[in-house]
Amino acid sequence: MADILALAADNLISPIVLCFALGLFAALARSDLSIPEAVAKGLSIYLLFAIGFKGGVSVAAHGVDLTLGLSLIAGIILSALLPIVAFALLRSITQLDRLNAAAVAGHYGSISIVTFVAATSVLESSGIAAEGYMVAVAAAMEAPAILSALWLISRGESGRMDANLWREIMLNGSIVLLVGAFIIGGVTGEEGLKEISSFIVEPFKGVLCLFLLDMGLVAGRGLAKGGKLLGWSSIAFGVLMPPIGAAFGLAAALALGLSLGGTVLMMTLTASASYIAVPAAMRVALPEANPSIYLTLSLGVTFPFNLVLGIPLYLAVASAVSGG
Amino acid sequence: MADILALAADNLISPIVLCFALGLFAALARSDLSIPEAVAKGLSIYLLFAIGFKGGVSVAAHGVDLTLGLSLIAGIILSALLPIVAFALLRSITQLDRLNAAAVAGHYGSISIVTFVAATSVLESSGIAAEGYMVAVAAAMEAPAILSALWLISRGESGRMDANLWREIMLNGSIVLLVGAFIIGGVTGEEGLKEISSFIVEPFKGVLCLFLLDMGLVAGRGLAKGGKLLGWSSIAFGVLMPPIGAAFGLAAALALGLSLGGTVLMMTLTASASYIAVPAAMRVALPEANPSIYLTLSLGVTFPFNLVLGIPLYLAVASAVSGG
Amino acid sequence: MADILALAADNLISPIVLCFALGLFAALARSDLSIPEAVAKGLSIYLLFAIGFKGGVSVAAHGVDLTLGLSLIAGIILSALLPIVAFALLRSITQLDRLNAAAVAGHYGSISIVTFVAATSVLESSGIAAEGYMVAVAAAMEAPAILSALWLISRGESGRMDANLWREIMLNGSIVLLVGAFIIGGVTGEEGLKEISSFIVEPFKGVLCLFLLDMGLVAGRGLAKGGKLLGWSSIAFGVLMPPIGAAFGLAAALALGLSLGGTVLMMTLTASASYIAVPAAMRVALPEANPSIYLTLSLGVTFPFNLVLGIPLYLAVASAVSGG
Amino acid sequence: MQTHTAKRVEITIEKIMQSRLTDALVGAGVHGYTILPVFGGSGRSGEWSRSGQISRAEGMVQVICIVREERLDALLTAAFKVVEKHIGIVNITDCEVLRAERF
Amino acid sequence: MQTHTAKRVEITIEKIMQSRLTDALVGAGVHGYTILPVFGGSGRSGEWSRSGQISRAEGMVQVICIVREERLDALLTAAFKVVEKHIGIVNITDCEVLRAERF
Amino acid sequence: MQTHTAKRVEITIEKIMQSRLTDALVGAGVHGYTILPVFGGSGRSGEWSRSGQISRAEGMVQVICIVREERLDALLTAAFKVVEKHIGIVNITDCEVLRAERF
Ligand SMILES: Nc1ncnc2c1ncn2[C@@H]1O[C@H](COP(=O)(O)O)[C@@H](O)[C@H]1O
Ligand SMILES: Nc1ncnc2c1ncn2[C@@H]1O[C@H](COP(=O)(O)O)[C@@H](O)[C@H]1O
Ligand SMILES: Nc1ncnc2c1ncn2[C@@H]1O[C@H](COP(=O)(O)O)[C@@H](O)[C@H]1O
Ligand code: NA
Ligand code: NA
Ligand code: NA
C-alpha cells in the first residue's frame, strides 16, 4: 500500500501528468490556451507511429511466439466481453437508459492508446520491459467492443451496422497507422530503429507532454460543458469500471503468462476507455445517444483516473501478484 | 564600441537573424512562402513551453529568494509605467492622435516573448547565465501595460474594460502556458528536465529558426501593407523607444542586483513591444484605434531592431556597466 | 545486375519506402488515415530548410568552384530540354492531345524535391558524399520546364504567361526557402550547423518517413481517383521517361566531372517529375489541361517508380560508369 | 450578364456523415456541391467548437448545393434520409447562377 | 418536402468578438448558429488574409443564424450592439428550412 | 432595424486564381469581399477534397461579395473574365444589409 502511494505520488509529479493538469486547469479557468487541431492530430500521428514502430522492433528482436497469437485472441475477447460487464454495471448503479448505457459500455471495452502510451512510459522510467506485441493487442482491442455495444442495443433488430461503417471502424486511421508502423518496425528491426531513433525515441516523452497538455484542455472543456450532465452514479461508474476491467486484464495476463510489463499493459488496456474510434462509430450508428455523456465519462473521468491513479495501481498490483 | 559592433556583426550572421531576414525578403518580394497558421502556433507553443520549463528548472536548482519577488514587482511597475513614457514621447514627436498614441504606448509597456527567447539564446551562445525566474517576470509584464493604455484614454470615462476582457488578458494562452510550464519545471526540476531535454533543449534553436522565418514573413507582409501608414516620426519612435525602455530596465536590474544575464534580459523585456496579447486586447477595448499602426510599429520596426541591434547593444551596455 | 537487385531489395525495406507503401495501402483501402494539410506543409518546410541548409554548409566547407556555375547552367538547360523529349515521346506512344501532352511534358523537365531528398538519404546510408550545391541545381531546375511546356503549346500564339505568373513561378515558396536556406547554410557554415544540427540533422530521416507516409496517402488517393483516366501507354510513359531523363543527367554529370554522389543526384533530378510547382503553374496557364492526368502520372506513377526502383538503379549505373 | 434561377441548399451536418450525405446526393443525381469547414456552432444539442471539442470526431461541415428548381425535391428527399436522425440544419435560398451548363 | 420560411443572417466579424456576439445572441433568445472560419477579406479597413496577417489576433469568422422572421429584429438589435464599433458586415437573406422544430 | 437591399455574390474558384479574381474585383470598383476556405467539392471536373488532393495546388476558396445592385453587372463581368476558362461556380442571392455605408 505504501508502495502504491509512493508510486502514485511519483507519478503525480511527472511532467506528463503535470502537463495534463495544466491543460485541465487552463480549460476550467476558461483560458483561451489551445493547441491547433492540426497540430494535435500531428502529435497523435507521431505517437502512434513511434509506439507502433518500437513495438514492431521489439517483436523482431525477440521473435514471434504462440503467446503473441493467444494475446491477440484474449484482447479481442476482452474487448467484446467488457461492454457487457459495463452495461450491467451501468444499468444497476446509474439512471442511464438502455441506449446511452450501451453507448457508454462500448467505450469501456475498447481502449485509449494514450493511456497505453503513458503506461509504457511509466514502465520505461521504472526500467520494466514489456512484450512489444502489446501494441498489436491494443490495435486488436479497438473495434470488437463496438460490435458488442451495437448488439446490446439491437438484439433482434438490425440495420445499425452497414458495410461502410464496418470498413470505417476496421480501417480507421489510428488502427492502420499503429499496425502499419508495427509491421514496418518488425520488418526493418533494430537497424531501421537506429536510423530514426533520434526522431521517434529521444524526443518521445517531450511530445507526449505536449499531447497530454492538449488532452487536459480537451478533457477540461468537456467537463465544463458536459460535467453537469453526469450524475454522481455515472462518475462512480467512471472510476469503478477501470479497476474492474483491469482485474479481467490481470486474469488474462496471468493465464497467458505475460511478463510483469506485459501484465501492466494488458491491465491498462482493459481499464482504459476509447474516446476516438468508438465515439465516431456511435455518432453514425447510435446518433440518438448523447455524446456528452460518453465522451465526458471516458475522457473527463476515466482517462484522468487511469493516468494519475490507475497506472501506478495496476503496476503495484501486478508486481505484488507476480511476487515482484 | 568596437565590441558592440563585433557583437552586432556576429549576431547578424546567426542562423536565427538570417532566418528572420529570409522571411522578410520573401514577404517583401511577394513570394507565396508561408508557414501554416497551425504550424506557427504549434512552434510558439513549443517555444513557450520550453522556455518556461527551463526557467522553472533553473529556479528549482538555485532556490527561491527575495529578489524573485522584487523582480516580479519591478516588472509589473515597469510594464505599467512605460506606456506613459511612450505616450509622452509619441505625442511630442509624432502626429498620432490620443487614441492611437495610447494604443501604441500600451504595446511598448508589455513584452515580446520571442525577443526574450532570442536574447536568451544569445546569452547561451556567449556562455552567460541568467536568473531562471526572468521567465516569470516576462509573464508578469504582459498585462499591466494594457491597463495603463486604457487609463490613458479613459481617464474619468469608463466602460472600456469588462470582466470578460479582464479574464481574457490575465488568462491568455501565452501567459498560462509560460507560467504553467515554469511551475512544472520548478516542480519536476533537473530530473524532469532530463526526461524531456532531447525535446525541449537540443532542438530548441532550430525550432526558433523556423519560428523567426515565420516572424519575418509576417513582419514583412505587415510592412508591405502598413508601412505607408507610418510617417518617419513613428518609425523614429519605433527605434528610439526600445533603448529608452532598456534604460529603465537597466536601472531596475542594477537596483535589484541582477546578474549580467538577468540584466540583459530585463533590458530586453523593457525594450521589447508586444504583438500578441496587447493587440488582441486593443481590438476589443479600443476598436477605433488602427491596428495597422500599432502592429506595424511593434512587429515591423521594433522587433527587427531589437533582434538585430538591440540585443547586442543591451549586452554590451550591461557588460560595461557591470564592469565585465 | 545482382548488385542492382540487392540495392533495390535493400531500398525496398528501408523505413522510408515502407512508410510510403503504408500510405499507399491506407489510401487504396480507403482508410480515413490522413496527415493534416498544415502538418504536411510543416514537414515539407522542415525538409526544404534542412536540405537547403546542409547543402549550403557543405559548399561553405568545400568552397565555390567553376563546376558549381556550370552545373547550374546544365540543370537549367536540361530542365528546358527534357519537356521537348517528353512531349515527343508522349505524342508517339500515347493518345494524349497536344495540350495535355505539353502539360505532362512540363512536369518531367522540372523536378521533385522529395525524390531528391530520398536519393540524398540513400547516398548517406551508403556513405557516398555528393556536391552540396546540387541543392541549388535542384532549385534552378524547377522553373525552366514550365516555359518549355508553354512554348510547346503556344508557339506563335501568346498570352499564356503574364508577369504575375512569372513572379509566382520564380518566387514560389519552395524555391525561396530552398535557396534561402542554402545561402544561410553557406553564410553560417559548420558553426551554424552545429547550433541547429540536433534539429535539422538527427531527426531528419524520421521526419522524412512521416512525410513519405503522407506522399503515399496522397499518391494513393490520386491513383484511386485518376488511375482510370490513364491508359497503359501513359503509364508506360511514366516509367520509361525517368530512365531516359536519367540518361541525360548522366551524360551531363560525366561532362561536368561530378563525383559519384553528384552524378546520382543529377540523374535523380532529371528522372524525377514535379508535382507542386508545375501543376500550380499549369492550372493558371493551361486550365483546359486535365490535372488528373499530369498529377496522377507524376505522383502516382513516376514518384513511386523513382523511390523504389529508380534511385537504386541510378546509383548502380553511376557506380558502374564511374568504374566504382 | 445572363443568369439562370436555381436553388441554393445549405446543409450543416456532422463531418462523420459527410460521405454518406454526398453519396446520397450523387445517388439522387446531384453531382455539384461544395463543402465548407465549420468552426463551431450551437443548436438544440448544445454548443460545440472545434478547439473545445472533447473528441476529434465531433466536427461539422456545411455542404452547399446549387441545383435547378426541378431537382430540389429529389435532393431534399435524399438528404433528409441521411440527416433525419442526426443533428444539423438544412436551409434553401433562391439564387441566380452564371454558366447554367455547369450545374 | 415541407419547408418553412425563415431568415438567414450572416455576420462577418473579428474572431476576438465571436464569444461576445454569441453571448449577445443567446441573450436575445437565439440559440442556433453556425460559425465558419474566414481566410481573408477586404473592406473599408483594408485587406487582410490569414497567412499575411501581422498578428494572430486579427482573424475573422462568419456567424450564420437561421431564425424565424419574428425573431429577426431582436437578433439584429443584439448583434448590432456588439458589432457597432467594430469592422465587419451583416447581411440577411430569405430562406426556407426543413425541420422547423429545430430552430 | 433599418436595412438596405443588396446582392450577395458567391464565387467558388481555385485558390490559385484567388488573387487574380480579387484584383479584378478591385479593378471593377468592388473593395468589399470575404474569402472562405473550402474543404472539398464536386462538379463537372470530378470530386476533390483537401485531404485527398493529389497536390497542394488544387484547393478552392469561396469569395463572397455584398454589392449594391447597380454594381452587380460590373462585378459579374469582371469576375467572369477570370473564371471563364476555370472550374467553379458563381451564384447570386438577394439580401439585405445593415450599415449600408460599409459596402
Ligand atoms: N438556427 C440555426 N442557425 C444556424 N445553425 C444552426 C441552427 N441550428 C442548428 N445549427 C447548426 O447545427 C448544429 C446542430 O444543431 P442541432 O441539431 O440543433 O443540435 C449546430 O451546432 C449548428 O452548427
Ligand atoms: N461588401 C462586402 N462583402 C463581403 N464582405 C465584406 C464586405 N465589406 C466588408 N466585408 C468583410 O468584413 C471585413 C471588414 O470590413 P470593413 O468593416 O469594411 O473593414 C472585411 O475584411 C470583409 O471580410
Ligand atoms: N452545383 C454546384 N453546387 C455547389 N458547388 C458546385 C456546383 N458545381 C460546382 N461546384 C463547385 O465548383 C467546383 C468545380 O466545379 P466544376 O467547374 O463543375 O468542376 C466543385 O468542386 C465545387 O466545389
Ligand atoms: Na478497455
Ligand atoms: Na516593453
Ligand atoms: Na526531371
Side-chain angles (χ1 to χ4, degrees):
Chain A
M1 190 65 206
D3 259 24
I4 303 186
L5 287 179
L7 253 171
D10 233 45
N11 191 39
L12 259 174
I13 61 156
S14 79
I16 289 170
V17 172
L18 290 173
C19 282
F20 180 79
L22 174 58
L24 213 58
F25 164 81
L28 295 176
R30 292 200 289 145
S31 164
D32 68 349
L33 179 60
S34 77
I35 312 250
E37 201 188 348
V39 173
K41 218 183 149 203
L43 295 178
S44 82
I45 286 170
Y46 170 89
L47 294 175
L48 289 167
F49 179 72
I51 196 90
F53 196 100
K54 288 184 277 187
V57 170
S58 144
V59 168
H62 296 103
V64 179
D65 58 15
L66 186 64
T67 333
L68 192 164
L70 293 177
S71 299
L72 285 175
I73 294 170
I76 292 170
I77 294 174
L78 285 167
S79 172
L81 182 71
L82 286 171
I84 296 164
V85 178
F87 186 75
L89 184 60
L90 280 162
R91 295 289 286 167
S92 68
I93 71 170
T94 75
Q95 245 71 49
L96 289 186
D97 58 23
R98 292 183 53 81
L99 188 83
N100 280 299
V104 170
H107 290 70
Y108 283 81
S110 185
I111 59 109
S112 146
I113 198 72
V114 181
T115 313
F116 178 81
V117 168
T120 313
S121 133
V122 167
L123 290 181
E124 249 167 48
S125 302
S126 319
I128 302 172
E131 287 79 2
Y133 56 71
M134 289 308 295
V135 163
V137 176
M141 290 179 72
E142 282 227 40
I146 298 171
L147 297 183
S148 292
L150 297 185
W151 175 82
L152 281 168
I153 272 306
S154 54
R155 277 178 279 184
E157 228 187 288
S158 82
R160 291 280 181 190
M161 217 41 204
D162 58 22
N164 260 342
L165 179 56
W166 190 231
R167 200 200 62 244
E168 281 170 22
I169 292 170
M170 297 306 297
L171 289 176
N172 88 62
S174 312
I175 294 188
V176 169
L177 182 52
L178 195 62
V179 174
F182 179 77
I183 293 173
I184 295 178
V187 170
T188 62
E190 289 287 348
E191 215 171 308
L193 183 62
K194 222 187 319 161
E195 291 190 60
I196 62 172
S197 83
S198 38
F199 179 61
I200 67 171
V201 178
E202 281 89 13
F204 188 82
K205 214 164 202 168
V207 176
L208 186 56
C209 281
L210 279 196
F211 191 75
L212 281 171
L213 175 64
D214 184 56
M215 295 282 295
L217 286 166
V218 171
R221 291 199 175 117
L223 277 175
K225 202 181 66 177
K228 302 149 247 168
L229 280 174
L230 297 184
W232 284 108
S233 57
S234 300
I235 294 175
F237 168 82
V239 301
L240 277 176
M241 189 60 210
I244 296 176
F248 280 82
L250 177 62
L254 291 176
L256 290 161
L258 295 184
S259 71
L260 171 57
T263 304
V264 173
L265 292 182
M266 183 62 103
M267 292 173 77
T268 303
L269 287 174
T270 46
S272 72
S274 168
Y275 55 88
I276 296 180
V278 182
M282 292 300 149
R283 286 312 294 147
V284 174
L286 297 183
E288 312 90 338
N290 187 339
S292 290
I293 297 176
Y294 50 72
L295 282 170
T296 310
L297 261 182
S298 160
L299 195 51
V301 178
T302 296
F303 178 77
F305 172 80
N306 277 325
L307 185 69
V308 176
L309 297 177
I311 294 173
L313 175 69
Y314 313 144
L315 174 52
V317 171
S319 304
V321 169
S322 75
Chain B
M1 191 62 208
D3 259 24
I4 302 186
L5 287 180
L7 253 170
D10 232 45
N11 192 38
L12 259 174
I13 61 158
S14 79
I16 290 169
V17 171
L18 290 173
C19 282
F20 180 80
L22 174 58
L24 212 58
F25 164 80
L28 295 176
R30 292 199 291 143
S31 164
D32 69 348
L33 179 60
S34 77
I35 312 249
E37 200 188 349
V39 173
K41 217 184 150 201
L43 295 179
S44 82
I45 286 169
Y46 170 88
L47 293 175
L48 288 168
F49 179 72
I51 196 91
F53 196 100
K54 288 185 277 185
V57 170
S58 144
V59 168
H62 296 103
V64 179
D65 57 15
L66 186 64
T67 334
L68 193 164
L70 293 177
S71 298
L72 285 175
I73 294 170
I76 292 170
I77 293 175
L78 284 166
S79 171
L81 182 70
L82 285 172
I84 295 164
V85 177
F87 185 76
L89 184 59
L90 281 162
R91 295 289 286 167
S92 67
I93 72 169
T94 75
Q95 245 71 49
L96 290 186
D97 58 24
R98 290 182 54 82
L99 188 83
N100 281 299
V104 170
H107 290 70
Y108 283 81
S110 185
I111 59 109
S112 146
I113 198 73
V114 182
T115 312
F116 178 80
V117 168
T120 314
S121 134
V122 168
L123 289 180
E124 250 167 47
S125 303
S126 320
I128 301 172
E131 287 79 1
Y133 55 71
M134 288 308 295
V135 163
V137 177
M141 289 179 73
E142 282 227 40
I146 298 171
L147 298 183
S148 291
L150 297 184
W151 175 82
L152 280 168
I153 272 305
S154 55
R155 275 177 281 183
E157 229 188 288
S158 83
R160 291 281 181 188
M161 220 36 208
D162 58 23
N164 261 342
L165 179 56
W166 190 231
R167 200 200 61 246
E168 282 170 21
I169 293 171
M170 297 307 297
L171 290 174
N172 88 62
S174 312
I175 294 188
V176 169
L177 182 52
L178 195 62
V179 174
F182 178 77
I183 294 173
I184 296 178
V187 170
T188 62
E190 289 287 347
E191 218 171 306
L193 183 63
K194 222 187 319 163
E195 293 190 58
I196 62 172
S197 82
S198 38
F199 178 63
I200 66 169
V201 178
E202 282 89 13
F204 187 81
K205 214 162 202 171
V207 176
L208 186 56
C209 281
L210 280 195
F211 191 74
L212 281 171
L213 176 64
D214 183 57
M215 295 281 296
L217 286 165
V218 171
R221 291 200 174 114
L223 276 175
K225 202 181 66 177
K228 301 151 247 166
L229 280 174
L230 297 184
W232 284 109
S233 57
S234 300
I235 294 176
F237 170 81
V239 301
L240 277 177
M241 190 61 209
I244 295 177
F248 279 83
L250 176 62
L254 292 177
L256 290 161
L258 296 184
S259 70
L260 171 56
T263 304
V264 173
L265 292 182
M266 183 62 103
M267 291 173 77
T268 303
L269 288 174
T270 46
S272 71
S274 168
Y275 55 89
I276 296 179
V278 182
M282 291 301 149
R283 287 312 293 147
V284 174
L286 297 183
E288 312 89 338
N290 187 340
S292 290
I293 296 176
Y294 49 71
L295 282 170
T296 310
L297 260 182
S298 160
L299 196 51
V301 178
T302 296
F303 178 76
F305 171 81
N306 278 325
L307 185 69
V308 176
L309 297 178
I311 294 174
L313 175 70
Y314 313 144
L315 175 51
V317 171
S319 303
V321 169
S322 76
Chain C
M1 192 63 205
D3 259 25
I4 303 187
L5 288 179
L7 253 171
D10 232 46
N11 192 38
L12 259 173
I13 60 156
S14 79
I16 289 170
V17 171
L18 290 173
C19 281
F20 180 79
L22 174 57
L24 212 58
F25 164 81
L28 295 176
R30 291 199 292 144
S31 163
D32 69 347
L33 178 60
S34 77
I35 312 249
E37 200 189 349
V39 173
K41 217 184 151 202
L43 295 179
S44 81
I45 286 170
Y46 170 88
L47 294 176
L48 288 168
F49 179 72
I51 195 89
F53 197 99
K54 289 186 276 186
V57 171
S58 144
V59 167
H62 296 102
V64 178
D65 58 16
L66 186 63
T67 333
L68 193 164
L70 293 176
S71 299
L72 285 175
I73 293 171
I76 292 171
I77 293 175
L78 285 166
S79 172
L81 183 70
L82 286 171
I84 295 166
V85 177
F87 186 75
L89 185 59
L90 281 162
R91 294 289 286 168
S92 68
I93 71 169
T94 75
Q95 244 71 49
L96 290 187
D97 58 23
R98 291 183 54 82
L99 188 82
N100 280 299
V104 170
H107 290 70
Y108 283 80
S110 185
I111 59 112
S112 146
I113 198 74
V114 182
T115 313
F116 178 81
V117 168
T120 314
S121 133
V122 167
L123 289 181
E124 250 167 46
S125 303
S126 320
I128 301 173
E131 286 80 1
Y133 55 70
M134 289 308 295
V135 164
V137 176
M141 289 179 71
E142 283 227 39
I146 298 171
L147 298 183
S148 292
L150 297 184
W151 175 83
L152 281 167
I153 272 306
S154 55
R155 276 177 280 183
E157 232 187 287
S158 81
R160 291 282 180 189
M161 217 42 204
D162 58 23
N164 261 342
L165 179 55
W166 190 232
R167 199 199 63 246
E168 282 170 21
I169 293 171
M170 297 306 298
L171 290 176
N172 87 61
S174 312
I175 293 188
V176 169
L177 182 52
L178 195 62
V179 174
F182 178 77
I183 294 174
I184 296 178
V187 170
T188 62
E190 289 288 347
E191 217 170 305
L193 183 63
K194 221 187 318 163
E195 291 190 59
I196 63 172
S197 82
S198 38
F199 179 62
I200 66 170
V201 178
E202 282 88 13
F204 188 82
K205 214 163 202 170
V207 176
L208 186 56
C209 281
L210 280 195
F211 191 75
L212 281 171
L213 176 64
D214 183 56
M215 295 281 297
L217 287 165
V218 171
R221 292 198 175 117
L223 276 175
K225 203 182 66 177
K228 300 150 247 166
L229 280 174
L230 296 185
W232 285 109
S233 57
S234 299
I235 294 175
F237 170 82
V239 300
L240 278 177
M241 189 59 209
I244 294 177
F248 279 82
L250 176 62
L254 292 177
L256 290 162
L258 296 184
S259 71
L260 172 58
T263 304
V264 173
L265 292 182
M266 183 62 102
M267 292 173 77
T268 303
L269 287 175
T270 46
S272 71
S274 168
Y275 55 88
I276 297 179
V278 181
M282 291 301 150
R283 286 314 293 148
V284 174
L286 297 183
E288 312 89 338
N290 187 341
S292 290
I293 297 176
Y294 49 72
L295 282 170
T296 311
L297 261 183
S298 160
L299 196 51
V301 178
T302 295
F303 178 76
F305 171 81
N306 276 325
L307 185 69
V308 176
L309 297 178
I311 294 173
L313 175 69
Y314 312 144
L315 174 51
V317 170
S319 304
V321 168
S322 75
Chain D
M1 292 202 77
Q2 169 77 25
T3 60
H4 305 78
T5 65
K7 294 286 184 178
R8 179 185 186 278
V9 183
E10 185 179 275
I11 307 172
T12 305
I13 194 171
E14 289 168 281
K15 193 158 177 15
I16 209 94
M17 299 304 292
Q18 175 188 315
S19 63
R20 287 172 176 80
L21 174 62
T22 54
D23 286 354
L25 292 179
V26 170
V30 175
H31 291 272
Y33 52 82
T34 296
I35 301 170
L36 304 183
V38 171
F39 238 13
S42 170
R44 296 192 320 159
S45 62
E47 202 187 334
W48 73 274
S49 88
R50 200 159 275 281
S51 73
Q53 71 193 23
I54 201 167
S55 149
R56 308 296 165 184
E58 249 184 287
M60 300 197 80
V61 293
Q62 207 170 70
V63 179
I64 299 172
C65 306
I66 315 290
V67 284
R68 291 170 201 272
E69 182 140 23
E70 57 265 32
R71 293 232 194 121
L72 180 62
D73 232 57
L75 187 165
L76 292 182
T77 309
F80 189 69
K81 238 180 253 158
V82 177
V83 303
E84 196 179 3
K85 291 187 182 167
H86 287 267
I87 64 171
I89 189 163
V90 180
N91 72 73
I92 305 111
T93 336
D94 291 321
C95 71
E96 303 275 318
V97 286
L98 288 187
R99 307 203 283 184
E101 77 286 1
R102 293 252 168 172
F103 75 108
Chain E
M1 293 200 77
Q2 168 77 26
T3 59
H4 305 77
T5 64
K7 294 287 185 178
R8 180 186 186 276
V9 182
E10 185 180 274
I11 307 172
T12 306
I13 193 172
E14 289 168 282
K15 192 158 180 14
I16 210 95
M17 299 304 293
Q18 175 189 313
S19 65
R20 286 172 177 81
L21 175 62
T22 54
D23 286 355
L25 293 179
V26 170
V30 175
H31 291 272
Y33 53 82
T34 296
I35 301 170
L36 304 183
V38 172
F39 238 13
S42 170
R44 298 193 319 160
S45 62
E47 202 188 333
W48 73 276
S49 88
R50 200 159 275 281
S51 73
Q53 72 194 22
I54 201 165
S55 149
R56 309 294 166 184
E58 251 185 286
M60 300 198 80
V61 294
Q62 206 170 71
V63 179
I64 298 172
C65 306
I66 315 290
V67 284
R68 290 170 201 273
E69 180 138 25
E70 57 266 32
R71 292 232 195 120
L72 180 62
D73 233 56
L75 187 164
L76 291 183
T77 309
F80 189 69
K81 239 180 252 156
V82 177
V83 302
E84 195 179 4
K85 290 187 182 167
H86 287 266
I87 63 170
I89 189 163
V90 181
N91 71 73
I92 305 112
T93 335
D94 290 321
C95 71
E96 303 276 317
V97 286
L98 288 187
R99 306 201 285 182
E101 77 285 3
R102 293 251 169 173
F103 74 109
Chain F
M1 293 201 77
Q2 168 78 25
T3 59
H4 305 77
T5 64
K7 294 287 184 177
R8 179 185 186 277
V9 183
E10 186 179 275
I11 307 171
T12 305
I13 194 173
E14 290 167 281
K15 194 159 178 13
I16 210 96
M17 299 303 293
Q18 176 189 313
S19 64
R20 286 171 176 81
L21 175 62
T22 54
D23 285 355
L25 293 179
V26 169
V30 175
H31 291 272
Y33 52 83
T34 295
I35 301 169
L36 304 183
V38 172
F39 240 13
S42 170
R44 297 192 320 157
S45 62
E47 203 187 334
W48 73 275
S49 88
R50 200 160 276 282
S51 73
Q53 70 194 23
I54 202 168
S55 149
R56 308 296 167 184
E58 249 185 287
M60 301 197 79
V61 293
Q62 206 170 71
V63 179
I64 298 171
C65 306
I66 315 291
V67 283
R68 290 169 202 274
E69 181 138 24
E70 57 265 33
R71 291 232 196 121
L72 180 62
D73 232 57
L75 187 164
L76 291 182
T77 310
F80 189 68
K81 238 181 253 158
V82 177
V83 303
E84 197 180 2
K85 291 189 182 166
H86 287 267
I87 63 171
I89 188 163
V90 180
N91 72 73
I92 305 112
T93 335
D94 291 320
C95 71
E96 303 275 317
V97 287
L98 288 187
R99 307 203 284 183
E101 77 286 2
R102 291 252 169 171
F103 74 112

